[in-house]
């Protein structure tokens, strides 16, 4: 994933989470992960696995391609 795409996915993850009125903690609880990991994703410090991207897309009611910045 390129730097530009990674940055866009971080922005979209945070925006989509906030649109759903979810806190980082709520998202972490739904995915059975740490809140710290959600923060790493949103800040661009870590990338998520394909499996986790699919789970995020379903939970946030979006498409993986939109989430990672490949579509608008």
């Amino acid at each position: 994933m390129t730097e530009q795409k990674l940055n866009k996915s971080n922005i979209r993850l945070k925006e989509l989470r906030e649109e759903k009125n979810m806190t980082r903690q709520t998202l972490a609880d739904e995915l059975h992960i740490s809140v710290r990991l959600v923060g790493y994703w949103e800040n661009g410090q870590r990338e998520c696995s394909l499996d986790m991207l699919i789970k995020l897309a379903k939970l946030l009611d979006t498409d993986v391609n939109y989430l990672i910045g490949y579509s608008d």
Side-chain angles (χ1 to χ4, degrees):
M1 190 177 287
T2 65
E3 182 87 24
Q4 181 181 8
K5 295 295 182 187
L6 182 61
N7 289 339
K8 191 177 247 187
S9 66
N10 298 338
I11 292 167
R12 287 189 173 167
L13 173 57
K14 184 175 181 179
E15 287 175 355
L16 289 166
R17 177 180 60 76
E18 289 175 346
E19 283 176 13
K20 296 284 184 186
N21 294 317
M22 296 178 82
T23 64
R24 284 181 177 176
Q25 185 65 59
T26 303
L27 184 61
D29 291 346
E30 290 285 332
L31 296 170
H32 307 287
I33 60 171
S34 72
V35 69
R36 181 177 286 182
L37 184 55
V38 175
Y40 287 153
W41 291 340
E42 288 185 355
N43 293 322
Q45 294 173 307
R46 302 241 173 104
E47 292 183 32
C48 18
S49 66
L50 179 58
D51 182 51
M52 196 57 70
L53 282 171
I54 292 167
K55 289 178 183 179
L56 279 167
K58 286 181 182 179
L59 186 61
L60 297 171
D61 194 31
T62 192
D63 182 82
V64 171
N65 287 323
Y66 179 79
L67 184 61
I68 63 174
Y70 283 124
S71 67
D72 291 325

